[in-house]
Amino acid sequence: MSGLVQLIDAGLLDATLARAKSSPRGRQNHNLHPSLADNLHRFLNAWTRGSYAAPHRHLAVPNRKAS
């Protein structure tokens, strides 16, 4: 990804959904953040019909500092 803004268009949605359809769990995310070391993680989730994740919450937010 280059720059600070990434365009979310039909091509990106279709590609992410295609990867979700071929995934054993029926879901896939596309990271919008440049690296896993970034303090904020933003991503696009694609889930196929029938995919399931148990309801949950994150009580403690990880304290990650940007390097």
Side-chain angles (χ1 to χ4, degrees):
M1 178 175 75
S2 63
L4 298 175
V5 176
Q6 183 174 3
L7 180 63
I8 298 173
D9 60 9
L12 177 60
L13 294 174
D14 290 344
T16 306
L17 186 55
R19 288 194 310 274
K21 288 178 181 177
S22 67
S23 167
R25 297 188 317 167
R27 53 189 179 213
Q28 180 68 46
N29 68 300
H30 174 82
N31 292 343
L32 299 170
H33 50 280
S35 84
L36 294 177
D38 287 332
N39 194 29
L40 294 176
H41 286 188
R42 300 196 186 266
F43 46 89
L44 169 71
N45 284 317
W47 290 50
T48 59
R49 191 176 309 269
S51 182
Y52 177 78
H56 68 283
R57 66 181 180 168
H58 301 262
L59 296 175
V61 176
N63 185 9
R64 299 179 63 157
K65 296 183 180 189
S67 47

